[in-house]
Amino acid sequence: QIKNLEEIFEARIARDEKIEPKDWMPEKYRQTHIRQMSQHAHSEIVGMLPEGNWITRAPSLRRKAALLAKVQDEAGHGLYLYSACETLGVSRDELYEQLHSGKAKYSSIFNYPTVTWADMGAIGWLVDGAAIINQVPLCNTSFGPYARAMVRVCKEESFHQRQGFEIMLKLCNGTPEQKEMAQDALNRWWWPSLMMLGPTDAESVHTEQSMKWKLKRKSNDELRQQFIDQTVPQADILGLTIPDPDLKWNESKGSYDFGEIDWDEFWQVVKGHGPCNKQRMKARVDAWENGAWVRDAAMAYAEKNEAKKFK
Ligand code: FAQ
């Protein structure tokens, strides 16, 4: 029976049909989607913290409004993704518990500090830039709710990337100190942005299976190369230097060669030893604990209303 169901499932994947929550799916397909989608959701939620740090200090009302809107979008992305995950039979509370206990990962990139205003530019330009490269192929992923969520998320990320690039452009056309601030932000965010796209294909444990299921449409290395090729000309427009002495156009390949990524640093950050891991987790756990009274009040109100209905 299962064998038959599995064959039908594989044939649907081969025909590029979307798999929907109530359809039969192999248990591993379900689990791997819960893993990737929940880590994606956690990344959006933790990802609000580095930028949230600058909302009260944005240099103008216009910048503040744009940053506030961007951070709110990230909350929205997190909530869609948690909802998409719940369609696979896992509860929101379980997902939060996995994040707060350190069982579930979130993107390494959000464990770096935001020390100057230029970091808001670099995050939008580079981090959202890398996120778009990663997420556009996911609009075509095989699980319906994930694919549909990604369409709107990518549109919003595209606004985020532009607002970041525009911050960088303004700084680069400003005083020498402002340009220096932009260069410093690029120096600090470049390598972590490359790491964000995941370990090399040779080290990536999930890519092979995820490609077969059409969860992933492109490998980590393919996405990283695409990100570099897209971003280097943008740095040229800004008049900034990418902090990689080995970066060089390769005519025969039609793309850039680049230097060695510090994978030790990546794994240290993933394992919880990055510059801000403890601070980020504490912020999320505190928000959960300090918000308990709101959840209790909402539950009490809902129960009271429910009871009234049956009077
Ligand atoms: N950080 O075998 P692979 C955003 C883990 S959203 C931490 O290659 P996979 C928006 C991986 O989970 C950013 N851990 O894994 C925004 C696995 O561990 P596990 C998030 C990482 O899943 C912008 C192990 O290493 N985006 O930025 C990282 O096939 C600005 C082996 O790796 C998504 O989540 C990492 N960077 O490929 C918000 C997109 N990379 O789970 C605010 C969806 C890998 O076995 C401000 N996710 N690991 O314990 C994906 O596309 C994939 O999951 C990858 C990893 C490509 C991230």
Side-chain angles (χ1 to χ4, degrees):
Q1 179 77 8
I2 294 273
K3 180 98 181 54
N4 199 12
L5 288 169
E6 212 158 328
E7 274 165 18
I8 295 170
F9 172 86
E10 295 296 344
R12 293 185 64 196
I13 295 278
R15 286 196 299 271
D16 272 337
E17 270 177 36
K18 292 278 173 267
I19 305 301
E20 298 298 338
K22 295 212 163 108
D23 295 346
W24 186 90
M25 60 185 80
E27 183 55 20
K28 278 196 171 156
Y29 178 92
R30 195 177 77 84
Q31 287 301 342
T32 212
H33 275 78
I34 292 175
R35 179 188 63 79
Q36 178 166 325
M37 287 159 64
S38 66
Q39 295 189 3
H40 194 166
H42 300 325
S43 302
E44 297 280 359
I45 297 301
V46 178
M48 290 194 281
L49 297 169
E51 288 169 295
N53 183 31
W54 279 90
I55 290 172
T56 55
R57 293 175 290 161
S60 69
L61 183 60
R62 176 174 167 262
R63 293 290 181 205
K64 187 172 179 144
L67 186 60
L68 199 54
K70 179 186 193 291
V71 173
Q72 281 178 342
D73 285 352
E74 286 154 9
H77 299 172
L79 298 183
Y80 297 154
L81 285 163
Y82 282 131
S83 298
C85 238
E86 284 174 302
T87 67
L88 289 170
V90 61
S91 74
R92 187 83 57 113
D93 280 358
E94 277 173 83
L95 297 173
Y96 287 151
E97 200 278 322
Q98 289 172 1
L99 174 67
H100 298 155
S101 66
K103 240 183 282 160
K105 295 188 169 77
Y106 59 88
S107 183
S108 51
I109 192 77
F110 303 117
N111 292 304
Y112 291 86
T114 45
V115 294
T116 72
W117 171 252
D119 291 351
M120 298 304 97
I123 290 181
W125 174 36
L126 302 173
V127 177
D128 284 279
I132 295 170
I133 299 259
N134 168 264
Q135 286 166 192
V136 166
L138 291 176
C139 295
N140 200 21
T141 190
S142 61
F143 184 54
Y146 197 21
R148 289 189 289 273
M150 282 302 112
V151 174
R152 176 163 174 182
V153 168
C154 284
K155 285 186 184 159
E156 292 179 351
E157 302 287 30
S158 161
F159 151 67
H160 298 170
Q161 198 269 351
R162 278 153 210 236
Q163 71 86 42
F165 187 77
E166 202 238 342
I167 291 173
M168 295 302 268
L169 195 59
K170 192 85 177 171
L171 290 172
C172 290
N173 291 328
T175 63
E177 289 81 5
Q178 285 171 321
K179 183 151 186 195
E180 208 177 296
M181 203 161 93
Q183 180 65 56
D184 167 64
L186 170 59
N187 294 348
R188 287 180 291 106
W189 289 93
W190 175 253
W191 292 102
S193 299
L194 299 189
M195 294 173 197
M196 186 185 157
L197 295 157
T200 60
D201 293 353
E203 296 289 319
S204 167
V205 288
H206 300 297
T207 295
E208 194 187 340
Q209 183 58 66
S210 291
M211 295 283 258
K212 279 189 193 147
W213 278 328
K214 297 183 179 170
L215 161 56
K216 277 171 108 163
R217 293 288 189 155
K218 288 189 176 179
S219 75
N220 301 359
D221 285 336
E222 279 178 278
L223 295 172
R224 195 165 11 251
Q225 186 69 57
Q226 199 182 328
F227 172 68
I228 293 169
D229 293 343
Q230 173 181 294
T231 312
V232 175
Q234 296 171 354
D236 289 343
I237 293 170
L238 295 172
L240 296 178
T241 309
I242 304 264
D244 178 358
D246 297 323
L247 188 74
K248 213 166 123 243
W249 178 252
N250 182 327
E251 193 63 52
S252 62
K253 226 173 55 167
S255 62
Y256 284 90
D257 289 333
F258 55 96
E260 189 61 35
I261 293 173
D262 184 350
W263 291 112
D264 283 345
E265 174 181 324
F266 172 74
W267 290 115
Q268 281 301 314
V269 176
V270 171
K271 285 181 192 146
H273 311 302
C276 299
N277 295 60
K278 288 200 176 63
Q279 189 184 327
R280 301 290 184 239
M281 284 308 294
K282 183 175 182 323
R284 289 314 313 156
V285 171
D286 284 354
W288 177 253
E289 286 173 358
N290 296 335
W293 69 272
V294 180
R295 294 190 299 277
D296 290 347
M299 282 306 285
Y301 181 74
E303 277 161 17
K304 214 165 83 184
N305 271 357
E306 198 64 16
K308 263 193 212 155
K309 269 195 219 159
F310 298 105
K311 261 192 183 163

